[in-house]
Amino acid sequence: MSEAALATVSLPEAAAGAGRLLPVRLEDVGYAVAGKRLIDGLTLELDAVCRTVVLGPNGAGKSLTLRLLQGLIAPTSGRIRWAGTGRPRAAGLAVATVFQRPVLLRRSVAANLNHALRVYGVPSRLRPGRIDALLGLAGLSHLRRRAARVLSGGEQQRLAVVRAIAAEPELLLLDEPTSSLDPHSTAAIEELILTAARQGVKVVLVTHDVAQARRIADDVVFLHRGRVAEHAPADRFFAAPSSAAARAYLDGKLCI
Amino acid sequence: MHDFGAAFGEAFRLVLTADPALVEIVLLSLRVTLTAVASACLVGLPLGAFLAVVRFPGRMAVVVVLNALMGLPPVVVGLLVYLLLSSSGPLGVLGLLYTPTAMIIAQAVLVTPIVAALSRQAIEDLHREYDEQLRAMGMGPFAQALTLLWDGRYSLLTAALAGFGRAIAEVGAVIIVGGNINHVTRVMTTTIALETSKGNLGLAVGLGVVLILISVMVTGAVMALRGTAVRLAHV
Amino acid sequence: MRYLHGLIAAAVMAGGLAAPLHAQDFIIVQSTTSTENSGLFGHLLPRFTEETGIEVRVVAVGTGQAIQNAVNGDGDVLFVHSKPEEEAFVTQGYGVERFDVMYNDYVIVGPANDPAGVAGSDDAVAALAAIAEVEAVFVSRGDDSGTHKAELRLWEEAGIDPTAASGGWYREAGAGMGATLNLATEMRGYALTDRGTWISFGNKGDQQVVVEGDPRLFNQYGVILVNPEVHPHVKAELGQRFIDWLLSPAGQQAIADFRIDGQQLFFPNAGGGA
């Protein structure tokens, strides 16, 4: 999966500079199911460029936060502002999501990408070239005719990541994409994520794996009990976490 | 004549001699039923996909009614279609009563709820799995339904086969709207009914065996194609 | 899915081919199971079609349903055997005119051991009374057909209401002649049947004719053109040609020629009274 291959995938230009904010902002967002507040008073503003890792123990609301950002679920209180407007899903910001368990269509590897490209409005004459480039990026060129759902877990997740990249997203959301993968497959997925980020894609990665967070993060959002317990640059967060919850988590003492 | 062996002997004789009258009846049966099932799929598959994907008030009621309609008595369908197509009925001017087309309509009415209800179930299971991914890709319900229909194609084939089994085996509807006219609307099941009423039980059972064989062959052929396709290309 | 497409395409093509096969001139005759099941139409129709080029499509149902279908205009000619209903059909304006065509007769069939001791009788009414007396099983059509009505007239004449014993020794099949005879064979019961259906019936078991020859067992068939003034689409000209042929010497001779096991089943009597 070379960077040359990625270049032909034509990711959007890198943003003009750090410090610019992502045009999406969670303001005092709450999300409750059957009266149970899973997300409670969550306010989050993200940088438009750097790689954000959302870290936290199980049940902290990491995956829900990601789904709120994607617009898959609506907050039950508070609001999500897109580019300063009240509208959900602002036009102009392309978002793509990779889930913990890849949901691949019952088709061949190449057909999965073809389907995604069609959904994303890529004309059919351009698709074969894109598919070749994306398969090269994922290192799956030799498996293109294989049924997607008989691939190994790592191969399936690589396909899911390049399928998300096929959307040419400005914001790439990943929900614990390597939690069920072996170290080798994990490394391959992380390489894909970093490659995309180098092309200027804003990455938000949810994980409970501290080592992975150290490898990927520019900044860390630490969630605890549905709230942002701490949001800090990665080096400062790992060197001296300011919240007690984060300190306990990094010491391996906080499980819930 | 209550001899099982004789009945199977009769069936073998009919098949081995390729009895021309039998061939005509078998071909008409297949033509009527396959056309009816194809028409039922054209309506039932999109309807099933729609009910699986789109949430609207009263949806559960529609699903319940659809599932109940799977048990429609063929005679009732036959009577309703007869009343529609009768010269005194609203569609009498079309002159379709006592034609194969009338039989196709009756069987399509009988089978559409089966195709729709079974495909709704299959698509809904698939939808539960795909929903978040497809929505994350920004797909609306219509585009989702198309993707689900395609990915569920092998389950849907089973729905179509269930419809085929029901249609090829029913007699109550086609005998009313077709009239069991020799060389025009006489199919396997109406012939069996006729021979039974003539007391030719051996011939009737023999025809029944042939009907079962044909049903097994059609189903087997479709399942084999499906198996090959699944193995070669997709999962 | 490629295969499914192929299947659908093939099926639609096959359906499309259905229409032109039967584009020639044809008429629809609403008739009864007795004429169809005995094989009479299989004998008559090829001759008529050869002479005239007109195809005859027979819908064989119970007399009651045949008349109702004709009332709805779903047929060009009505060819049944229940004179009072046929005359009412004409009187009410649904038919043009009724003609006698032929007759056959009813017989009472029963098991060889003959529990009512009626074998050899030529008095149908007395035989029914004897059956009721010993409460031997009697299987009735029970479907409002011409045969059923003839049977009920005989019971009435015998002064017996068999429906009081319905479900007991009197069994109402609610089915066609053949299905009723199948029941009678299984139950070793008596039944009233037209002779034509009986002779060609294949599942006689040890049943045999026990009562025949009673003038009251006479079974007249009539033919009527459905009134084109009520149902304008009726093919009056073609239908009339079929009726004319049936009543003609050629048609009458064809009816007389129809035999099964050497027995003549139907006796032409066009122009004669019954």
Side-chain angles (χ1 to χ4, degrees):
Chain A
M1 52 196 101
S2 65
E3 295 209 22
L6 180 54
T8 64
V9 180
S10 76
L11 291 165
E13 293 299 311
R20 197 166 62 85
L21 288 177
L22 198 66
V24 53
R25 192 181 135 83
L26 274 57
E27 293 178 355
D28 195 27
V29 164
Y31 185 77
V33 174
K36 194 168 189 297
R37 299 189 68 83
L38 302 174
I39 298 280
D40 193 8
L42 192 147
T43 297
L44 189 59
E45 198 163 43
L46 294 172
D47 177 89
V49 178
C50 67
R51 302 185 298 263
T52 301
V53 167
V54 180
L55 194 62
N58 289 330
K62 304 189 296 293
S63 294
L64 287 175
T65 303
L66 209 65
R67 280 164 173 73
L68 286 163
L69 276 172
Q70 166 76 75
L72 286 173
I73 55 177
T76 49
S77 65
R79 58 178 174 172
I80 300 175
R81 293 173 69 90
W82 291 89
T85 73
R87 281 176 299 151
R89 310 295 307 274
L93 182 71
V95 187
T97 306
V98 175
F99 295 98
Q100 184 173 354
R101 297 167 64 104
V103 178
L104 299 173
L105 304 186
R106 286 160 172 77
R107 310 177 188 200
S108 70
V109 169
N112 263 276
L113 293 177
N114 189 58
H115 174 264
L117 290 167
R118 190 170 61 232
V119 170
Y120 296 137
V122 177
S124 56
R125 66 189 160 79
L126 296 179
R127 283 184 227 147
R130 296 278 181 92
I131 292 170
D132 288 343
L134 290 164
L135 288 174
L137 184 63
L140 294 172
S141 297
H142 59 297
L143 298 173
R144 59 183 303 143
R145 299 202 176 284
R146 195 74 68 81
R149 298 168 76 94
V150 301
L151 300 182
S152 73
E155 288 163 345
Q156 289 201 25
Q157 194 59 288
R158 263 143 65 198
L159 180 57
V161 172
V162 292
R163 178 175 62 180
I165 288 174
E168 300 184 7
E170 291 155 89
L171 173 58
L172 177 61
L173 306 172
L174 303 107
D175 186 8
E176 304 194 33
T178 63
S179 64
S180 56
L181 300 183
D182 61 47
H184 177 78
S185 298
T186 300
I189 296 291
E190 287 179 4
E191 180 60 31
L192 274 174
I193 295 169
L194 291 172
T195 306
R198 275 195 292 277
Q199 297 298 311
V201 180
K202 164 69 184 179
V203 168
V204 176
L205 171 73
V206 164
T207 185
H208 58 251
D209 177 349
V210 175
Q212 183 171 56
R214 286 181 193 273
R215 290 193 294 273
I216 302 282
D218 290 326
D219 65 328
V220 175
V221 175
F222 185 79
L223 292 188
H224 184 50
R225 291 182 180 156
R227 288 173 177 273
V228 177
E230 188 167 354
H231 185 184
D235 45 4
R236 201 174 80 204
F237 176 82
F238 290 116
S242 60
S243 67
R247 270 198 302 279
Y249 186 73
L250 291 177
D251 290 345
K253 288 174 184 164
L254 183 65
C255 293
I256 299 295
Chain B
M1 192 43 90
H2 290 207
D3 186 351
F4 240 67
F8 282 92
E10 186 66 39
F12 270 113
R13 188 191 66 73
L14 287 169
V15 172
L16 290 179
T17 58
D19 186 275
L22 176 70
V23 170
E24 183 188 7
I25 288 167
V26 166
L27 288 181
L28 182 65
S29 292
L30 287 175
R31 195 170 73 195
V32 166
T33 297
L34 289 177
T35 312
V37 171
S39 316
C41 286
L42 283 179
V43 177
L45 294 182
L47 179 61
F50 176 84
L51 288 173
V53 173
V54 181
R55 295 286 176 272
F56 58 91
R59 173 181 163 281
M60 268 321 288
V62 174
V63 169
V64 167
V65 168
L66 198 61
N67 279 307
L69 288 182
M70 286 207 290
L72 265 181
V75 177
V76 173
V77 172
L79 275 174
L80 291 175
V81 175
Y82 168 77
L83 291 174
L84 276 180
L85 298 183
S86 164
S87 300
S88 309
L91 301 179
V93 286
L94 300 177
L96 292 176
L97 193 66
Y98 305 137
T99 65
T101 308
M103 301 159 86
I104 290 167
I105 292 170
Q107 289 194 347
V109 169
L110 190 68
V111 163
T112 298
I114 296 177
V115 173
L118 293 182
S119 61
R120 191 227 23 116
Q121 188 61 56
I123 298 280
E124 198 162 298
D125 292 345
L126 203 56
H127 181 244
R128 204 164 293 131
E129 182 190 339
Y130 281 12
D131 180 41
E132 199 163 54
Q133 174 67 43
L134 297 184
R135 279 200 295 134
M137 291 168 82
M139 295 174 74
F142 183 71
Q144 280 198 40
L146 283 180
T147 296
L148 291 166
L149 279 173
W150 180 257
D151 269 45
R153 58 201 177 277
Y154 299 117
S155 314
L156 300 179
L157 211 50
T158 309
L161 277 180
F164 174 83
R166 168 91 157 154
I168 194 91
E170 75 81 28
V171 60
V174 288
I175 207 163
I176 294 175
V177 301
N180 191 24
I181 298 168
N182 205 3
H183 305 304
V184 182
T185 56
R186 187 161 294 175
V187 292
M188 298 286 294
T189 53
T190 60
T191 309
I192 292 170
L194 177 66
E195 293 305 331
T196 304
S197 76
K198 286 182 183 175
N200 296 331
L201 303 190
L203 181 57
V205 176
L207 285 165
V209 172
V210 174
L211 175 64
I212 294 168
L213 282 178
I214 286 168
S215 200
V216 167
M217 271 167 14
V218 169
T219 309
V222 172
M223 299 296 274
L225 284 177
R226 171 193 153 149
T228 313
V230 169
R231 229 177 10 258
L232 287 183
H234 318 290
V235 168
Chain C
M1 200 64 171
R2 253 171 301 158
Y3 303 105
L4 198 58
H5 281 317
L7 201 66
I8 291 171
V12 169
M13 274 164 56
L17 290 175
L21 274 174
H22 311 290
Q24 67 190 101
D25 286 342
F26 69 88
I27 57 170
I28 287 176
V29 175
Q30 289 285 352
S31 189
T32 66
T33 45
S34 57
T35 40
E36 171 80 356
N37 286 12
S38 66
L40 176 68
F41 278 127
H43 170 80
L44 289 183
L45 300 184
R47 284 150 213 265
F48 172 70
T49 303
E50 192 181 340
E51 276 184 38
T52 61
I54 301 169
E55 181 192 342
V56 180
R57 299 184 177 177
V58 177
V59 177
V61 289
T63 297
Q65 193 186 344
I67 293 175
Q68 187 55 48
N69 287 346
V71 165
N72 290 342
D74 297 320
D76 305 301
V77 172
L78 180 65
F79 188 173
V80 292
H81 60 98
S82 193
K83 200 165 175 177
E85 280 79 8
E86 290 164 45
E87 283 169 344
F89 179 78
V90 173
T91 314
Q92 289 159 15
Y94 294 111
V96 177
E97 188 182 354
R98 181 189 172 281
F99 299 96
D100 283 339
V101 179
M102 62 188 188
Y103 68 89
N104 67 350
D105 61 344
Y106 293 115
V107 295
I108 296 175
V109 297
N113 66 346
D114 191 21
V118 295
S121 162
D122 64 358
D123 186 338
V125 171
L128 289 186
I131 289 167
E133 177 66 29
V134 302
E135 303 197 342
V137 172
F138 186 97
V139 184
S140 166
R141 288 279 293 271
D143 65 347
D144 215 20
S145 61
T147 306
H148 185 218
K149 285 173 175 148
E151 177 212 317
L152 291 179
R153 283 195 292 271
L154 292 172
W155 285 114
E156 201 178 329
E157 208 166 320
I160 297 167
D161 177 15
T163 55
S166 184
W169 59 268
Y170 187 73
R171 309 284 172 88
E172 293 173 287
M177 195 68 255
T180 302
L181 287 174
N182 280 328
L183 270 177
T185 300
E186 283 304 325
M187 295 177 176
R188 298 175 164 273
Y190 294 92
L192 181 76
T193 171
D194 62 283
R195 189 188 293 273
T197 302
W198 173 252
I199 290 175
S200 55
F201 185 66
N203 183 32
K204 293 191 176 81
D206 73 344
Q207 298 282 100
Q208 50 193 322
V209 173
V210 289
V211 179
E212 61 186 327
D214 188 324
R216 287 171 291 204
L217 292 176
F218 186 86
N219 181 28
Q220 177 67 45
Y221 285 80
V223 65
I224 305 170
L225 181 70
V226 177
N227 194 347
E229 286 173 21
V230 178
H231 295 293
H233 61 275
V234 166
K235 294 168 181 169
E237 193 198 333
L238 299 181
Q240 190 61 49
R241 282 180 71 184
F242 179 60
I243 292 172
D244 289 346
W245 182 82
L246 280 175
L247 305 178
S248 73
Q252 293 279 293
Q253 187 60 47
I255 291 170
D257 287 346
F258 176 59
R259 275 158 213 274
I260 290 176
D261 297 339
Q263 296 189 60
Q264 180 175 347
L265 294 193
F266 296 95
F267 299 88
N269 68 341

